[in-house]
Amino acid sequence: MLWPGTLIGAGAGFAIASIPGAMLGALLGQALDRRLHLQSWGHLLEKLGGRPALRNDELLFVLLGRLAKSDGQVVDGHIQQARQEMRALEMNESAQRRAIAAFNRGKSGNDRLRGYLRRLSAQPHAAEGVLRACWRMIWADGRAGTRERELIAQWGRWLGWRSHQVQALAADYEPQKRSVANKAATYQDAMRLLGVSATTEPAQIKRAYRRLLSRHHPDKVAGRGATELQVREATEKTRELQGAYMLIRQRRDF
């Protein structure tokens, strides 16, 4: 992790008073880093420019806003997809306000995202979740433009993914391919997957979903010493659970 204040303080201190000055400057710089939560040069530049550093729960929606605006115009499909992502994440009112602000911030295209995505690369499953959400936004208007593909390819590289790996995720969300793959993904299938019925209360459906998600989450499976294949299977199962829950919520309107 890069501490810009620490480096600047050490450098300035060394110039003024050699090694003792560098040590004192580093200590003062580190105090500044911690107080302002500076973790990269991008963070420092944002602070100097008056833009607050992104929180972890805001980064995704900045990316989605950047994609939505990348072809010049944000359409209703983009807005609906952003709202769907909020529902899938079960954001409360405060979190939704932050997400909306982050989405609008992303449309400006002024944020330096490389440092944030580099840090996220240390969390493989979170990184995959971000890329999948980005592909959902790309296909929200029914097409994937050149600029959108360039952005997600670049973000994928910063996340430590190869180009063909990023592109492979697109097939899960491309309208033509998804319609064929999801013919069997009916409301009844979704209820069977979560182990609920048409009369189950929303609160019970939510508990069932969270219980299954916790049981099959790739990070927990990996923590139990699972093989790479088992982790991939858990990742797919998690994606199926998320899709089923989203479908039920849409049908039941809760």
Side-chain angles (χ1 to χ4, degrees):
M1 182 179 294
L2 178 64
W3 299 97
T6 303
L7 294 177
I8 292 173
F14 184 81
I16 295 171
S18 190
I19 294 177
M23 295 175 64
L24 178 59
L27 287 173
L28 294 174
Q30 188 174 68
L32 181 65
D33 284 331
R34 293 183 182 280
R35 182 174 180 82
L36 298 180
H37 304 289
L38 298 176
Q39 299 176 349
S40 68
W41 293 114
H43 275 178
L44 178 60
L45 290 173
E46 285 172 353
K47 291 290 186 181
L48 293 175
R51 294 181 67 83
L54 291 171
R55 296 163 51 117
N56 288 339
D57 60 350
E58 295 169 335
L59 175 60
L60 171 62
F61 288 90
V62 167
L63 296 172
L64 298 182
R66 180 79 60 90
L67 286 171
K69 186 66 174 178
S70 62
D71 281 342
Q73 183 177 7
V74 179
V75 300
D76 185 61
H78 294 134
I79 302 299
Q80 294 303 320
Q81 185 59 44
R83 289 174 178 166
Q84 191 167 333
E85 297 295 340
M86 292 181 210
R87 288 194 294 270
L89 293 170
E90 298 186 332
M91 288 184 157
N92 59 30
E93 187 175 344
S94 175
Q96 287 182 31
R97 286 197 297 270
R98 289 198 304 272
I100 292 170
F103 185 84
N104 291 329
R105 176 173 169 173
K107 290 190 294 185
S108 71
N110 293 328
D111 285 285
R112 296 173 176 85
L113 301 172
R114 183 171 185 168
Y116 295 106
L117 294 173
R118 289 285 193 188
R119 286 191 296 279
L120 189 62
S121 67
Q123 306 172 50
H125 302 302
E128 180 176 346
V130 163
L131 289 173
R132 287 187 178 279
C134 286
W135 274 119
R136 289 193 290 269
M137 178 58 71
I138 287 174
W139 287 113
D141 60 354
R143 63 188 181 85
T146 301
R147 180 54 181 159
E148 292 169 312
R149 290 183 180 275
E150 290 174 348
L151 282 173
I152 197 170
Q154 181 182 62
W155 297 342
R157 287 194 298 273
W158 292 345
L159 287 167
W161 284 53
R162 297 184 183 277
S163 296
H164 72 273
Q165 293 175 312
V166 175
Q167 186 59 41
L169 296 180
D172 291 338
Y173 307 102
E174 187 174 353
Q176 296 88 338
K177 295 181 180 178
R178 185 176 55 189
S179 62
V180 174
N182 289 348
K183 282 183 178 179
T186 65
Y187 179 53
Q188 296 295 328
D189 294 328
M191 288 193 295
R192 279 194 294 271
L193 186 61
L194 296 189
V196 299
S197 69
T199 59
T200 303
E201 292 294 324
Q204 292 176 287
I205 295 174
K206 184 179 295 187
R207 284 195 295 271
Y209 167 65
R210 287 178 173 172
R211 183 176 63 253
L212 289 167
L213 200 62
S214 177
R215 181 189 306 167
H216 296 285
H217 196 282
D219 290 335
K220 288 193 174 182
V221 172
R224 294 196 292 265
T227 65
E228 184 177 346
L229 175 59
Q230 289 172 323
V231 172
R232 286 201 301 270
E233 290 174 344
T235 300
E236 180 62 25
K237 183 69 172 182
T238 296
R239 189 164 63 87
E240 291 175 0
L241 290 169
Q242 290 170 336
Y245 183 60
M246 191 175 295
L247 177 59
I248 292 173
R249 288 191 67 177
Q250 291 173 340
R251 180 68 67 87
R252 297 281 296 275
D253 191 27
F254 67 87

